């Protein structure tokens, strides 16, 4: 079984949304994938996703409320076939830790390498809708491009 780890900074906004979206595709298409998410920082370890991430997921028929933030671990290097990051900072942080199987989600879905913006730092809800839409498109393309969805 192939495995995918989605990574952002705190594991409360972008990566739990990515985890939820990928799990939905896994279920919808009957894929045999192990999906998880983590953060490069440890500020939110054990916390649920932020309220707006939970809300935007619910608006799209996903429940991510039971997910809990965790920090990336060294053993994740070998546990996951794909480590998919949200932005260049995440990419560079994990590269320094020796991760080799790194993918930028913005390289998929026609986003031409764009970073997934962190909606945590922007006021209002609109940023979460944009992040959800970007992740939904990019993750589906990632699954197809990497041969995980045929």
């Amino acid at each position: 079984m192939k495995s995918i780890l989605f990574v952002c900074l705190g594991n409360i906004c972008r990566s739990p949304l990515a985890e939820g979206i990928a799990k939905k595709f896994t279920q919808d298409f009957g894929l045999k994938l192990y999906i998880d998410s983590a953060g490069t920082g440890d500020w939110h370890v054990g916390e649920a996703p932020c309220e707006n991430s939970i809300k935007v997921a619910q608006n799209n028929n996903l429940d991510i409320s039971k997910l809990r933030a965790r920090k990336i671990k060294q053993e994740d290097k070998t546990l996951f076939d794909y480590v998919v990051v949200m932005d260049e900072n995440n990419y560079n942080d994990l590269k320094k830790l020796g991760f080799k199987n790194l993918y930028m989600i913005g390289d998929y879905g026609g986003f031409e390498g764009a970073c997934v913006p962190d909606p945590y730092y922007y006021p209002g809800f609109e940023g979460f809708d944009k992040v959800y839409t970007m992740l939904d498109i990019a993750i589906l393309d990632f699954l197809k491009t990497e041969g995980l969805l045929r």
Side-chain angles (χ1 to χ4, degrees):
M1 177 186 303
K2 295 286 185 178
S3 56
I4 305 169
L5 180 66
F6 292 97
V7 180
C8 69
L9 183 60
N11 194 213
I12 61 166
C13 294
R14 297 171 291 173
S15 57
L17 280 173
E19 179 181 349
I21 291 166
K23 284 180 174 178
K24 182 181 183 311
F25 286 139
T26 298
Q27 184 177 22
D28 289 351
F29 296 111
L31 307 175
K32 299 231 184 288
L33 297 171
Y34 177 74
I35 311 290
D36 197 4
S37 64
T40 57
D42 63 358
W43 312 278
H44 301 290
V45 168
E47 293 179 21
C50 73
E51 188 176 312
N52 282 335
S53 286
I54 291 172
K55 182 179 175 185
V56 75
Q58 286 174 337
N59 290 349
N60 289 278
N61 300 313
L62 291 178
D63 181 7
I64 62 169
S65 64
K66 291 178 179 48
L67 300 179
R68 292 297 175 262
R70 74 172 183 91
K71 185 178 180 191
I72 193 104
K73 301 178 283 198
Q74 282 292 330
E75 53 264 29
D76 291 332
K77 281 192 254 186
T78 56
L79 290 176
F80 290 91
D81 299 299
Y82 303 90
V83 178
V84 182
V85 300
M86 301 296 129
D87 62 41
E88 289 174 355
N89 290 333
N90 306 143
Y91 185 91
N92 293 332
D93 288 345
L94 295 182
K95 197 81 166 161
K96 287 177 193 168
L97 291 173
F99 280 78
K100 305 248 186 275
N101 50 344
L102 295 172
Y103 299 80
M104 287 273 294
I105 195 62
D107 288 339
Y108 299 86
F111 292 103
E112 300 177 3
C115 292
V116 179
D118 192 341
Y120 187 77
Y121 296 105
Y122 297 98
F125 187 73
E126 183 180 330
F128 287 87
D129 272 331
K130 288 180 180 179
V131 164
Y132 185 92
T133 299
M134 182 179 185
L135 288 172
D136 192 54
I137 293 167
I139 291 169
L140 183 59
D141 187 48
F142 173 83
L143 294 172
K144 289 177 181 176
T145 302
E146 297 304 322
L148 301 171
L149 175 63
R150 299 182 197 281

